[in-house]
Amino acid sequence: MTEPQRRRRRPAVSCNLCRRRKIRCNREAPCSNCLRSRNATCVYEVLSPPPSPRRSIPASLAPAPPQQCPSPVSIAGASTGTGTGTGTSPAGTVSAPRVTSSPAQSDNTTAPPSSLEFEAMRFRIAQLEEQLSAPTRIPPAGPTGKPGLTTETMLESPMLGSYYLHQDVDSPGHACSQSVTHKGRMFGRSHWLHSLLPVRDMFDSVEIQMQAESSSIMSTLERCKHLARVIKLRRAPSWPSPPATELPAREVCDRLIDCYLQTSESLYRILHIPSFIRAYEAIWDSPDTVPNPAFLVQLKLVLAIGAPVYDDTYSLRTPAVHWIYEAQTFLSEPEFKSRITTLSLQINILLLIARQTANIGGTLVWISAGELLRTAMYMGLHKDPPSVPATSTLTREMRRRLWNTVLEIVLQTSKDSGAPPLISMDDFDAKPPGNFDDDQLTEEGAVPRPEGVFTQTSVARALRGTFPARLAVVKYLNDLSSTAPYQKALGLDKELRASHKIMMQALQRPSPQTQSQPLHVGTVLANFNVASFFMILHAPFFSLAYREPAYAFSRMSLLEYSLKIWQIVHPASSLVAHPGASPAPTPDIWKRLATCGHRTFIVATKQTCVSLVMELRAQLEDGESLGTAPFRADLLVVLHEILDWSLSAVKAGETNIKGYLAVSLMIAHTECIKAGLTKDEIPKSLVKMTADFLITCVPLLEDMLAREEGENPSGREQPSAATPAEEMDWADIWMMGSPHNFGGVDPISWAMDGPTGDAISW
């Protein structure tokens, strides 16, 4: 009886030569032993079909099954790039299939080349050419059709905390970050934190040096943090804060209303100005009459929004915070159906804008904007007024204006918070506001003015024309399904440039009879608004542009719009004004608005600083590699202007000195590189400069606290201890922090966010 042939339990994974010599094979193609012995071929045998490769060969090129292949063929790994015997291939390659050999075949026998081998080689070459020609390809989709993501812990230390960077799983080293998670909050690519990632190495080195050498700097930082907390508590009233009937003097109120009309109302149409002025004057004409509580809240919000541009020092910051608290208390009362009115919607809109100007819950405004959007939809504002029966011209136009403003707030807060807008162009059919002046709306049969004539609604109408392009940019950056193809970013840039050009042409048409000062401020605000979208569109790619020439357009565009934004924020800059640019009509008001006003100015200016620092660092590195120094000294001058601007914000009452400190460190780091200091010398030099910067800030905060205690002695009690060092957070380096919260700190929030309870905001 013949004994049955004994078969191996496991398939062979070594090449034939290593199996004969009984030596270890590293299973490469070709293996290391064959390379050392200069073997012409490195042949692998497989006794079972390997797992399906990630990219299969067309059926016409597939090998025949073993039982149909009487003369087996072994494909040489050196020629075809075959993987290991386990069916896997080296990183970055796709395995070509191998044909099963007969067990009876001799180990040192290789079949002559066949047409199948040549076809496999051609297929492999085509694959390699495709990979080389697609450096920015879309990452492979998962089972749900969405791109795969991997989570990488960026920073983790007792002081820094943990920051998680979500990138494409395909190439985490070169792909754009999709989102950043910090303190339980996820920020999309439009958030400013993404622009800070390329320079985080600088903050890492400084912190390590500070911990190693200088405990005095940490104690000074703790002192600044403690002073800032006491000042914030002094400014904040008790909660709840029922609306009071007291108002500032008539002259102060008149000035604040004028400041509001020149700035915010010129861009966001919320009020019917003649009706508002009549109700405002009735309060002063009849002092014994109790005003409507809702209108009184609306009036105080208007005063709060105008307060930043009242003077250079934002002296009315504390009253503005009190007015905002009163409005929040008013809207928090359990009155629901009675609040679905136009007046209540106006109060909601004004409250969100006031919170941004006074920096109360900066990034959290996006959450409140969602409630505002749903309230507006519940009132039917997303439907065009002609579908609503029996509407007058005033009602129809006010509904269009309010819906237009709601869209702007939703889009702006989504951009600043790094969150999806949760609205599309298919969700509404309301038309833009008509080209009316406010006094026309009360006339019977009013006809809108021609397109070439400026009205009080011209800026809002022109900005609405760019809304589809800006909405597409935010969706592209923050949507969960975004796969970050660079070609789509270039297409969005083209659409945004076209709509921006049309907007500026419409706003720059000569119209001397109605070209008023407030409209000019609105024009500059609209230009700044659109320019900030160009910045966030190209910011995710500007760090890649220094390694990959394919992204050079983003590098150029980011530098271009960074300088334009700084020209808008600081018209007195040493930069040469670009063609078509015009200075602010009221330099004092514009300077105050940029320094003390809307947080969007602060966010965009800090992003400008990072982009300029990265550009200068890249120029210095290129100069070292090329033997030249293409260093733009004018950019360094702009950085010093931004530094002075940051210090002026602290002098105007800003309690968070981290923004000023971060700008100082980045400028100092750039100058150290320019001076030729080594990597070991730079952190020591920066630590010394940090001490000098802090010496400048401590007296400012102490004087600020003294003023607050003198003006508001009945404020909240100060905290009993300074902020511990463990709470210092460099990723919050420019976060202005939520200076106030409406009520006590929730224990769960304390456990998640630490004792500070601060939200991530500028």
Side-chain angles (χ1 to χ4, degrees):
M1 182 176 180
T2 305
E3 184 178 357
Q5 184 178 0
R6 188 175 182 181
R7 303 181 60 183
R8 292 176 59 90
R9 295 183 179 180
R10 294 180 300 171
V13 293
S14 301
C15 69
N16 290 347
L17 182 62
C18 293
R19 286 177 57 202
R20 288 201 313 271
R21 296 178 178 179
K22 296 184 179 181
I23 57 178
R24 183 182 297 274
C25 180
N26 66 349
R27 308 175 187 177
E28 297 292 339
C31 70
S32 57
N33 297 325
C34 289
L35 288 176
R36 283 195 297 268
S37 61
R38 297 182 181 180
N39 187 33
T41 58
C42 181
V43 182
Y44 288 83
E45 282 185 343
V46 287
L47 301 179
S48 59
S52 300
R54 190 169 63 177
R55 183 165 182 172
S56 58
I57 294 180
S60 59
L61 301 180
Q67 61 272 21
Q68 298 178 3
C69 186
S71 50
V73 178
S74 297
I75 301 178
S79 303
T80 61
T82 342
T84 67
T86 58
T88 58
S89 58
T93 63
V94 181
S95 301
R98 292 168 292 183
V99 182
T100 306
S101 300
S102 171
Q105 184 182 359
S106 174
D107 287 344
N108 58 354
T109 304
T110 304
S114 65
S115 60
L116 176 62
E117 179 179 359
F118 292 123
E119 291 294 339
M121 292 175 60
R122 287 172 51 192
F123 181 76
R124 176 62 180 157
I125 293 173
Q127 286 181 323
L128 294 175
E129 290 177 347
E130 180 182 354
Q131 293 179 5
L132 292 175
S133 62
T136 58
R137 59 192 177 89
I138 299 176
T144 60
K146 297 179 180 179
L149 299 178
T150 182
T151 301
E152 171 193 358
T153 303
M154 287 170 37
L155 305 172
E156 190 170 3
S157 71
M159 286 182 59
L160 295 173
S162 298
Y163 301 87
Y164 300 96
L165 177 65
H166 305 274
Q167 287 184 315
D168 294 340
V169 70
D170 221 31
S171 53
H174 298 279
C176 300
S177 59
Q178 295 291 332
S179 60
V180 174
T181 301
H182 174 59
K183 290 185 178 180
R185 303 171 180 88
M186 180 172 289
F187 306 107
R189 289 183 295 163
S190 69
H191 193 267
W192 63 266
L193 186 58
H194 289 262
S195 64
L196 192 63
L197 298 179
V199 295
R200 68 181 186 268
D201 58 330
M202 179 194 69
F203 299 110
D204 292 346
S205 61
V206 171
E207 182 191 324
I208 294 173
Q209 191 70 26
M210 287 168 57
Q211 290 178 329
E213 296 184 3
S214 182
S215 60
S216 61
I217 294 182
M218 297 304 301
S219 63
T220 307
L221 280 172
E222 294 172 14
R223 172 65 177 166
C224 293
K225 185 78 171 179
H226 176 67
L227 290 172
R229 290 183 178 279
V230 176
I231 294 170
K232 294 171 185 177
L233 290 174
R234 285 290 177 182
R235 291 172 178 171
S238 59
W239 178 262
S241 299
T245 57
E246 292 80 7
L247 291 173
R250 175 71 183 268
E251 296 76 13
V252 177
C253 290
D254 291 345
R255 178 85 175 277
L256 290 175
I257 291 175
D258 184 62
C259 292
Y260 166 79
L261 295 178
Q262 291 191 54
T263 54
S264 182
E265 187 68 25
S266 65
L267 182 65
Y268 303 123
R269 294 312 319 273
I270 304 170
L271 306 175
H272 181 241
I273 299 176
S275 301
F276 176 81
I277 296 299
R278 284 195 299 269
Y280 166 71
E281 292 177 347
I283 294 178
W284 300 104
D285 294 341
S286 304
D288 297 333
T289 304
V290 178
N292 182 2
F295 176 77
L296 190 62
V297 170
Q298 184 187 66
L299 173 60
K300 288 186 176 182
L301 288 174
V302 169
L303 301 181
I305 297 173
V309 295
Y310 178 76
D311 54 19
D312 294 334
T313 59
Y314 200 172
S315 61
L316 296 177
R317 185 192 294 265
T318 300
V321 172
H322 284 229
W323 297 330
I324 294 172
Y325 269 66
E326 291 180 8
Q328 185 71 41
T329 303
F330 175 78
L331 292 177
S332 299
E333 294 177 356
E335 300 287 342
F336 301 108
K337 288 186 178 179
S338 60
R339 296 291 166 79
I340 309 298
T341 62
T342 300
L343 180 58
S344 296
L345 188 67
Q346 290 173 326
I347 293 175
N348 268 287
I349 295 173
L350 291 171
L351 177 60
L352 297 188
I353 297 176
R355 284 176 56 185
Q356 290 182 310
T357 56
N359 190 36
I360 299 179
T363 54
L364 301 181
V365 174
W366 174 74
I367 300 176
S368 302
E371 180 183 359
L372 175 67
L373 175 65
R374 284 157 181 78
T375 302
M377 285 186 164
Y378 197 74
M379 295 174 61
L381 267 64
H382 63 300
K383 299 291 292 182
D384 199 58
S387 62
V388 180
T391 54
S392 63
T393 303
L394 176 61
T395 302
R396 182 172 63 251
E397 288 303 317
M398 287 304 300
R399 290 173 64 91
R400 287 174 174 171
R401 291 182 182 185
L402 291 175
W403 175 252
N404 187 71
T405 302
V406 169
L407 291 178
E408 289 295 333
I409 291 178
V410 169
L411 183 60
Q412 192 69 40
T413 56
S414 299
K415 176 179 74 72
D416 294 342
S417 302
L422 304 180
I423 192 172
S424 67
M425 297 299 296
D426 297 330
D427 294 334
F428 62 93
D429 61 2
K431 298 179 181 178
N435 197 30
F436 289 96
D437 282 316
D438 284 18
D439 54 4
Q440 291 181 268
L441 299 181
T442 55
E443 301 175 358
E444 291 292 338
V447 178
R449 299 190 187 279
E451 290 296 330
V453 178
F454 268 92
T455 64
Q456 293 169 304
T457 322
S458 294
V459 176
R461 286 170 49 82
L463 186 62
R464 174 67 174 273
T466 66
F467 181 81
R470 291 183 290 132
L471 179 64
V473 169
V474 177
K475 280 181 171 291
Y476 164 73
L477 294 174
N478 297 334
D479 273 4
L480 182 63
S481 60
S482 177
T483 54
Y486 186 57
Q487 292 79 1
K488 185 175 181 180
L490 297 179
L492 292 175
D493 178 273
K494 182 179 180 180
E495 296 176 8
L496 192 59
R497 285 178 186 268
S499 60
H500 186 208
K501 181 179 180 180
I502 295 174
M503 183 194 78
M504 295 308 298
Q505 289 176 347
L507 294 178
Q508 291 174 356
R509 293 170 184 166
S511 183
Q513 67 274 16
T514 57
Q515 180 68 29
S516 61
Q517 188 169 297
L519 286 175
H520 189 83
V521 174
T523 299
V524 182
L525 285 172
N527 188 23
F528 172 84
N529 189 316
V530 180
S532 65
F533 281 83
F534 282 101
M535 176 174 287
I536 66 167
L537 176 60
H538 292 284
F541 305 101
F542 85 121
S543 59
L544 297 177
Y546 303 125
R547 302 191 302 265
E548 299 289 344
Y551 302 98
F553 179 75
S554 288
R555 176 178 176 177
M556 177 189 66
S557 298
L558 191 65
L559 178 61
E560 172 192 356
Y561 281 96
S562 296
L563 296 179
K564 284 185 178 181
I565 283 180
W566 179 241
Q567 288 174 343
I568 296 173
V569 172
H570 189 62
S573 173
S574 59
L575 292 172
V576 179
H578 59 279
S582 55
T586 51
D588 292 338
I589 287 184
W590 187 259
K591 178 182 177 182
R592 298 166 188 168
L593 181 65
T595 305
C596 313
H598 204 283
R599 64 184 299 272
T600 303
F601 286 97
I602 302 174
V603 174
T605 304
K606 303 304 183 180
Q607 289 176 323
T608 294
C609 181
V610 175
S611 62
L612 296 183
V613 167
M614 286 295 297
E615 178 64 28
L616 289 177
R617 289 175 60 174
Q619 290 177 5
L620 291 172
E621 292 174 1
D622 292 343
E624 292 177 359
S625 60
L626 299 177
T628 59
F631 187 80
R632 288 189 56 177
D634 59 327
L635 300 185
L636 191 59
V637 173
V638 172
L639 288 175
H640 282 282
E641 292 176 352
I642 296 177
L643 180 63
D644 295 337
W645 174 86
S646 301
L647 184 60
S648 65
V650 177
K651 293 179 179 179
E654 173 53 50
T655 59
N656 192 314
I657 55 91
K658 293 180 183 178
Y660 169 71
L661 184 61
V663 175
S664 304
L665 287 176
M666 285 192 292
I667 295 175
H669 188 264
T670 304
E671 291 180 337
C672 289
I673 297 177
K674 186 175 182 294
L677 298 183
T678 63
K679 291 184 178 180
D680 295 333
E681 296 173 341
I682 288 177
K684 298 180 180 179
S685 177
L686 292 180
V687 169
K688 295 178 181 178
M689 295 180 183
T690 302
D692 297 336
F693 297 143
L694 290 175
I695 292 175
T696 305
C697 295
V698 172
L700 295 176
L701 293 176
E702 292 176 343
D703 294 342
M704 199 184 305
L705 177 59
R707 291 196 304 269
E708 291 294 336
E709 289 179 343
E711 297 174 0
N712 186 31
S714 61
R716 293 185 180 180
E717 295 182 0
Q718 67 182 41
S720 58
T723 304
E726 287 78 11
E727 293 180 12
M728 299 300 298
D729 197 338
W730 276 109
D732 296 336
I733 196 70
W734 293 343
M735 303 171 188
M736 299 178 68
S738 178
H740 319 282
N741 51 38
F742 299 111
V745 179
D746 182 74
I748 297 180
S749 300
W750 191 95
M752 294 179 62
D753 300 339
T756 65
D758 283 352
I760 291 188
S761 60
W762 281 81

